């Protein structure tokens, strides 16, 4: 009888949809992939607050300001759920943050684009959160338990993000000619970067599908991207706006919309750190971390003093 | 670990990313302690594990838990326990730990065959 390895047993668990929990045995590469992916995801939520934070003080009404604040606060929460999920794999919070600041860990490139007008808040909610939701709904069934549970929590909160964005665009789309133009302009600028969020084409990667086999990922980039395009083509009709792609066309044979070629040069450029805001985003994160240092120290000192008093009493 | 080079949505596969340094364990000591958060969603229900977070002390853990885990009325009561005080059963012993319950079907009401005339039982 061929002997069954721990690795085989692990794969059997995955195949029968049994979740992997922190203390369970796992291959080192599984741990590493999860740490990388979950911490990148956490960083994306945190850095993702910056482009939107830019507009909190300039929201056009108190209502919109309250909504935007609530959304940005949710993103902070998402980052925290995810950092904790990554920590269950043994990496310290501080190391993750150091890796973000040193550039060793990445975050989603979409947040390296600037938010130029108020309409960008709508476009981000509709397109960027919309694209993120497709990925996150899939990840609710990912094989690592703490990651899957964090995703369930996040997905419950995300649908408000997308809806508020779409509603905000809807109002602009029914407004003055200037508002309409602003709405269309934001869609034009965010459409292609949103498609890039799904990552390179499946045909670009010739390598093995380990993440799929381990059920960390359950759908390919192209599948998710196609879902997204099909959804948006219908939704934009309600806005009475246009997606900036002349090649968009219904394909009878595939039952999906065909779309134009993505500018992959731009994609790789932004990944490599040369996007319009890469430096600005990292600088903002480092500044926040450094300026918070005295708070972290003071709180730790206060806690220590209190436990000291309790022991003395 | 070269075989995971595929670039999936949300996973930028760089060689070094995801690798933990030897220093990680040391750094854990400088982080604020980790707390496990339990939330009672409604009066009359049990507290249920919601997740974890870092805080300098119990008071801060409760306040942070309120912001992180109950932004939408998810709770009416919060318990926080420092994670290092939680002791867990060993997953490798799950078999021997729970197996004894396996053959005791007579612990379940369906084990008992009663005439149809018996009501409310
Ligand atoms: Fe989020
Ligand atoms: Fe969101």
């Amino acid at each position: 009888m061929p002997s069954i390895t721990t690795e085989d047993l692990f794969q059997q668990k995955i195949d029968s949809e049994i979740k992997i929990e922190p203390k369970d045995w796992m291959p080192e590469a599984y741990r590493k992939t999860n740490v990388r992916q979950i911490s990148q995801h956490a960083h994306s939520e945190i850095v993702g607050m910056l482009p939107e934070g830019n507009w909190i003080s300039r929201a056009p009404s108190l209502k919109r300001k309250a909504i935007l604040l609530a959304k940005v606060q949710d993103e902070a929460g998402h980052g925290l759920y995810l950092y904790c999920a990554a920590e269950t794999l043994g990496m310290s919070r501080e190391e993750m943050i150091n890796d973000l600041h040193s550039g060793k860990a990445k975050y989603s490139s979409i947040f390296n684009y600037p938010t130029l007008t108020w309409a960008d808040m709508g476009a981000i909610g509709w397109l960027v959160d919309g694209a993120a939701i497709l990925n996150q709904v899939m990840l609710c069934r990912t094989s690592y338990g703490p990651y899957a549970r964090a995703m369930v929590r996040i997905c419950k909160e995300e649908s408000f993000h997308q809806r508020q964005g779409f509603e905000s665009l809807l109002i602009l789309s029914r407004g003055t000619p200037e508002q309409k133009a602003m709405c269309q302009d934001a869609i034009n600028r965010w459409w292609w970067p949103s498609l890039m969020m799904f990552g390179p084409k499946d045909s670009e990667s010739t390598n093995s599908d380990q993440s799929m086999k381990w059920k960390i990922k359950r759908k390919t980039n192209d599948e998710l991207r196609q879902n997204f395009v099909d959804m948006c083509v219908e939704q934009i009709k309600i806005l009475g706006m246009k997606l900036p792609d002349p090649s968009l066309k219904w394909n009878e044979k595939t039952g999906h919309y065909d779309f134009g070629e993505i500018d992959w040069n731009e994609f790789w450029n932004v990944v490599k750190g040369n996007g319009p805001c890469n430096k600005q985003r990292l600088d903002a994160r480092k500044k926040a971390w450094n300026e918070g240092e005295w708070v972290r120290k003071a709180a730790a000192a206060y806690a220590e003093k209190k436990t000291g008093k309790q022991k003395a009493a | 670990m070269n075989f995971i080079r595929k670039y999936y949505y949300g996973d930028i596969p760089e060689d070094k990313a995801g690798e933990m340094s030897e220093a990680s364990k040391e750094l854990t000591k400088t982080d604020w302690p980790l707390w496990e958060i339990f939330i009672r969603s409604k009066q009359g229900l049990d507290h249920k594990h919601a997740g974890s977070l870092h805080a300098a002390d119990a008071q801060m853990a409760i306040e942070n838990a309120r912001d992180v885990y109950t932004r939408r009325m998810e709770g009416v009561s919060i318990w926080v326990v420092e994670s290092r005080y939680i002791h867990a059963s060993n997953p490798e012993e799950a078999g021997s730990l729970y197996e004894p319950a396996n053959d005791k079907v007579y612990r379940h009401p369906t084990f008992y065959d009663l005439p149809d005339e018996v009501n409310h039982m």
Side-chain angles (χ1 to χ4, degrees):
Chain A
M1 212 177 81
S3 63
I4 298 176
T5 64
T6 2
E7 193 122 16
D8 294 335
L9 284 172
F10 177 81
Q11 189 60 48
Q12 278 172 20
K13 258 167 107 175
I14 302 264
D15 292 341
S16 43
E17 300 291 334
I18 296 172
K19 293 272 186 260
I20 307 304
E21 294 296 339
K23 296 234 158 95
D24 296 347
W25 184 88
M26 61 186 83
E28 261 325 292
Y30 178 86
R31 181 184 302 274
K32 188 182 156 184
T33 307
N34 266 296
V35 167
R36 183 182 67 221
Q37 191 180 315
I38 301 170
S39 63
Q40 278 176 9
H41 197 157
H43 298 325
S44 302
E45 302 285 348
I46 298 298
V47 177
M49 292 192 283
L50 296 169
E52 288 178 298
N54 183 33
W55 281 91
I56 291 174
S57 61
R58 291 178 284 162
S61 67
L62 188 57
K63 176 184 145 187
R64 288 291 155 189
K65 184 174 179 159
I67 292 171
L68 189 56
L69 258 176
K71 183 191 185 274
V72 171
Q73 198 190 7
D74 272 355
E75 305 300 3
H78 298 173
L80 294 178
Y81 306 156
L82 286 160
Y83 280 131
C84 285
E87 278 172 271
T88 62
L89 290 161
M91 195 179 217
S92 75
R93 176 79 59 100
E94 184 152 5
E95 182 166 29
M96 283 188 261
I97 291 178
N98 289 346
D99 285 354
L100 170 68
H101 293 174
S102 74
K104 182 175 157 195
K106 296 273 190 263
Y107 56 88
S108 176
S109 283
I110 191 78
F111 303 116
N112 290 319
Y113 289 86
T115 44
L116 303 180
T117 71
W118 167 251
D120 288 19
M121 297 303 97
I124 288 181
W126 176 41
L127 296 172
V128 176
D129 287 78
I133 288 169
L134 284 176
N135 181 41
Q136 294 181 151
V137 165
M138 164 192 77
L139 288 172
C140 288
R141 299 192 304 124
T142 192
S143 58
Y144 186 56
Y147 193 20
R149 290 192 287 277
M151 280 301 124
V152 170
R153 197 174 281 281
I154 286 175
C155 283
K156 279 191 200 145
E157 304 183 344
E158 283 291 354
S159 76
F160 133 66
H161 297 180
Q162 196 186 15
R163 288 173 70 103
Q164 65 82 32
F166 192 81
E167 189 209 45
S168 172
L169 290 181
L170 193 60
I171 287 167
L172 292 174
S173 76
R174 292 171 177 168
T176 64
E178 288 82 2
Q179 286 172 321
K180 285 182 189 170
M182 190 164 85
C183 179
Q184 183 63 61
D185 167 65
I187 293 168
N188 290 349
R189 281 182 291 106
W190 288 95
W191 174 249
W192 291 106
S194 299
L195 289 191
M196 292 177 203
M197 283 174 74
F198 296 92
K201 280 197 284 197
D202 297 344
S203 55
E204 296 284 292
S205 315
T206 46
N207 308 292
S208 85
D209 263 10
Q210 194 60 47
S211 280
M212 211 65 132
K213 200 172 152 226
W214 279 334
K215 295 189 181 166
I216 297 173
K217 284 286 178 177
R218 314 193 62 134
K219 281 185 177 184
T220 71
N221 296 352
D222 286 343
E223 283 176 85
L224 288 169
R225 185 164 22 235
Q226 186 67 61
N227 291 350
F228 181 71
V229 170
D230 291 347
M231 245 170 45
C232 292
V233 172
E234 294 304 321
Q235 289 166 349
I236 196 144
K237 292 178 186 161
I238 299 162
L239 293 177
M241 297 278 140
K242 272 208 176 73
L243 292 172
D245 180 359
S247 315
L248 270 175
K249 213 171 91 232
W250 176 251
N251 183 328
E252 201 67 62
K253 263 212 304 263
T254 58
H256 293 289
Y257 282 92
D258 291 338
F259 52 95
E261 192 59 39
I262 291 167
D263 181 353
W264 294 110
N265 277 336
E266 176 180 330
F267 171 82
W268 290 113
N269 235 330
V270 184
V271 170
K272 286 188 190 116
N274 307 318
C277 301
N278 293 57
K279 185 171 176 331
Q280 190 184 333
R281 300 294 183 237
L282 268 189
D283 287 349
R285 282 314 311 154
K286 284 187 230 170
K287 181 165 178 270
W289 180 254
N290 292 336
E291 287 179 357
E293 186 171 1
W294 72 270
V295 181
R296 293 191 298 276
K297 281 195 175 144
Y302 177 71
E304 204 164 305
K305 200 168 143 196
K306 254 193 341 192
T307 38
K309 263 194 197 143
Q310 272 164 7
K311 271 183 198 144
Chain B
M1 309 293 173
N2 248 335
F3 57 98
I4 315 173
R5 297 294 309 192
K6 206 166 158 107
Y7 189 127
Y8 279 109
Y9 180 3
D11 180 22
I12 301 170
E14 302 221 315
D15 265 346
K16 288 255 162 8
E19 225 155 62
M20 285 174 258
S21 69
E22 279 306 310
S24 206
K25 283 205 181 76
E26 285 306 304
L27 283 172
T28 310
K29 289 178 198 151
T30 63
D31 279 338
W32 284 341
L34 191 67
W35 300 75
E36 300 300 321
I37 312 301
F38 299 83
I39 291 177
R40 162 176 281 159
S41 58
K42 227 173 89 187
Q43 210 58 38
L45 295 181
D46 292 321
H47 285 76
K48 216 179 127 197
H49 186 238
S52 47
L53 51 76
H54 288 276
D57 57 28
Q59 185 59 34
M60 189 196 276
I62 290 175
E63 282 161 12
N64 288 355
R66 189 222 28 213
D67 292 342
V68 177
Y69 292 105
T70 67
R71 288 193 301 282
R72 289 178 176 75
M73 311 288 294
E74 288 96 337
V76 295
S77 160
I78 297 173
W79 285 354
V80 300
V81 184
E82 226 187 295
S83 308
R84 64 191 168 115
Y85 294 120
I86 299 222
H87 299 268
S89 61
N90 184 344
E92 267 122 63
E93 287 163 8
S96 54
L97 204 55
Y98 306 113
E99 190 272 318
N102 218 353
D103 57 356
K104 298 179 180 59
V105 278
Y106 44 84
R107 280 186 167 149
H108 298 277
T110 44
F111 179 73
Y112 303 92
D113 236 339
L114 298 182
D116 291 346
E117 299 86 78
V118 181
N119 285 324
H120 305 296
M121 199 182 278

